[in-house]
Amino acid sequence: MNDFSELEAELRELRPAAPSPELALRIERSLASAHSTTPAAGILPRPKRARLNWFTLGIGVATAAAAILFLARPDVERSTPAGPTIATATPPISAPIVSTDRRLVPDGVTRVVYGQRDEGLVFPSDGGEPVRRLRARSQETLQWRDRQTGASLRVSYPTEEVELIPVSGQ
């Protein structure tokens, strides 16, 4: 049937030989000498330091920066007004304002914008088209001058301007 059956039977009967006493003596001597002398001549290996994975650190920093920008939401769609926004001065008005005994004439108007913000889309309650609401806070100063004495009068008051800009859905 099987040509290898005799060989297999012989292999099953084989047993390993016992180690010689000379081998055990040589192993014992080498183990004893390994403790007395070190192959590194007394220099101990360095302890392993924690290595910094720069790729993982870069991904973490980039993710943190993206999260900060996402949460901060800088207003990149801010529209710039057509005219100057810091301060404007109008020429003197020629119509005089009559006081009780002196004549005060308008000398100028100054408007300083100190806060402008885009409040986003507003949906009217009546179901009309949405509008974008822009709010500007400023301070206006009116000045009058008495031509005879050179005295001046200044009046300042804060203003808030709300501008609604229609938004088309096209």
Side-chain angles (χ1 to χ4, degrees), residues 75 78-86 111-120 132-140 157-165:
D75 191 12
R78 184 177 300 167
S79 64
T80 58
T85 59
I86 302 302
R111 181 175 185 221
V112 178
V113 178
Y114 61 89
Q116 185 174 12
R117 120 182 127 195
D118 183 0
E119 294 182 346
R132 180 172 292 277
R133 182 167 45 193
L134 300 173
R135 186 178 304 266
R137 300 176 81 188
S138 61
Q139 181 168 343
E140 290 188 6
Y157 58 93
T159 61
E160 184 174 46
E161 181 179 323
V162 177
E163 185 178 1
L164 300 175
I165 302 172

Side-chain angles (χ1 to χ4, degrees), residues 32 60 67 96-97 106 136 142 144 153-154 170:
I97 296 175
L142 301 171
W144 290 275
L153 172 68
R154 287 185 186 159
Q170 295 181 12

Side-chain angles (χ1 to χ4, degrees), residues 91-97 104-108 143-145 147:
I93 302 172
S94 61
I97 296 175
L104 293 175
V105 292
D107 192 35
Q143 183 173 354
W144 290 275
R145 184 171 305 276
R147 292 185 183 173

Side-chain angles (χ1 to χ4, degrees), residues 32-141:
S33 67
H35 290 296
S36 62
T37 60
T38 59
I43 300 174
L44 298 175
R46 288 188 206 162
K48 290 193 175 194
R49 296 184 324 173
R51 291 179 43 193
L52 183 61
N53 189 347
W54 289 103
F55 181 73
T56 305
L57 180 66
I59 293 294
V61 168
T63 304
I68 288 171
L69 286 177
F70 180 73
L71 293 176
R73 287 181 23 154
D75 191 12
V76 294
E77 296 180 8
R78 184 177 300 167
S79 64
T80 58
T85 59
I86 302 302
T88 58
T90 59
I93 302 172
S94 61
I97 296 175
V98 178
S99 176
T100 56
D101 58 345
R102 293 196 161 87
R103 298 189 90 172
L104 293 175
V105 292
D107 192 35
V109 176
T110 305
R111 181 175 185 221
V112 178
V113 178
Y114 61 89
Q116 185 174 12
R117 120 182 127 195
D118 183 0
E119 294 182 346
L121 289 177
V122 178
F123 296 94
S125 59
D126 63 353
E129 289 190 27
V131 293
R132 180 172 292 277
R133 182 167 45 193
L134 300 173
R135 186 178 304 266
R137 300 176 81 188
S138 61
Q139 181 168 343
E140 290 188 6
T141 303

